[in-house]
Amino acid sequence: MHFLGISGSLRRQSLNTAALRACIKLVPPGVTLSLADISAIPLYNEEIREQGLPAPVMTLRDQIMKADAILIATPEYNYSMPGVLKNAIDWASRPPSQPFEGKPIALISASPGGFGGARAQYHLRQVFIYLNGLILNRPEAMISAAHTKFDAQGELTDSATADQLRSVLTGLADWTRLVQAGQSAGQTAAGKVQS
Ligand code: FNR
């Protein structure tokens, strides 16, 4: 099973990207996690889309389609998600196909503040209602005081946070198996109705 990680922060010292990197080592057996790079995606412009999806958008869409599940780590900017993340989601979501449809997704967030980016996660949930991304409800991971939980090299040093992330990753693997079993049962049932 393969997870695609998407960080909502472009900066090299990002706490959210550091959390995703930590997750690469915390995935349960049988799961791999690779990270997308949204830094080259231009600002959304319908006129650009009319000329064809830019290469970094095509790459992201392809990575989302091929992944069994998505793990998004979002910063909280002014109680919501950063523009770069919303911009990447907006690009990826454009027709003809919509790669988040029926895709299992887990959200995590990290902030130096006390709420750990919770409000950004809840805004993202709202976005994925429209896109029919299947968000894992629980467990949740909001990493508060995140600057105290990673060292200068971005390595996770807090064992409680590692446990939290491990449980989200295990929850996402379980959720993905459940969703995929339901989707293939639905296809089998639909095939029987048609034949
Ligand atoms: C922030 N930050 C922030 N933090 C928070 O907990 N709630 C908030 O509403 C905001 N708002 C906000 C707006 C803007 C424009 C910036 C640049 C920052 C602080 C933010 O959590 C902090 O910079 C994190 O370190 C950003 O995540 P990365 O880049 O470390 O992953």
Side-chain angles (χ1 to χ4, degrees):
M1 184 182 294
H2 181 66
F3 295 170
L4 177 71
I6 302 175
S7 174
S9 176
L10 305 185
R11 70 190 191 98
R12 278 186 296 277
Q13 303 296 318
S14 163
L15 296 164
N16 285 277
T17 307
L20 281 181
R21 285 206 198 95
C23 286
I24 292 173
K25 298 180 196 156
L26 297 171
V27 287
V31 175
T32 54
L33 169 66
S34 64
L35 306 192
D37 178 6
I38 63 168
S39 62
I41 295 181
L43 286 177
Y44 189 86
N45 182 333
E46 188 66 21
E47 289 157 3
I48 297 176
R49 185 180 84 86
E50 282 162 4
Q51 291 159 26
L53 292 174
V57 176
M58 295 287 277
T59 300
L60 179 65
R61 283 169 55 91
D62 191 53
Q63 289 172 325
I64 294 167
M65 274 184 268
K66 284 185 179 146
D68 293 294
I70 309 296
L71 176 66
I72 297 179
T74 184
E76 182 177 281
Y77 280 7
N78 299 317
Y79 282 20
S80 187
M81 74 206 77
V84 291
L85 179 58
K86 181 64 163 52
N87 183 61
I89 293 170
D90 290 342
W91 267 116
S93 72
R94 299 305 289 150
S97 55
Q98 200 280 90
F100 293 111
E101 172 71 39
K103 189 71 74 177
I105 302 172
L107 307 176
I108 61 173
S109 54
S111 164
F115 294 96
R119 292 158 294 215
Q121 286 200 27
Y122 294 134
H123 272 191
L124 262 177
R125 283 176 183 264
Q126 184 178 325
V127 169
F128 283 113
I129 291 171
Y130 178 63
L131 297 175
N132 202 29
L134 303 180
I135 301 274
L136 176 73
N137 274 339
R138 288 190 203 162
E140 296 180 310
M142 287 113 177
I143 308 170
S144 56
H147 58 300
T148 66
K149 293 172 179 166
F150 297 86
D151 65 19
Q153 285 70 46
E155 290 289 326
L156 181 60
T157 53
D158 182 63
S159 63
T161 302
D163 288 344
Q164 245 186 326
L165 293 175
R166 215 177 272 115
S167 64
V168 169
L169 293 162
T170 304
L172 182 59
D174 291 344
W175 177 228
T176 302
R177 275 188 281 271
L178 194 67
V179 167
Q180 290 181 343
Q183 287 168 341
S184 59
Q187 277 163 9
T188 308
K192 278 186 184 148
V193 168
Q194 278 166 16
S195 60

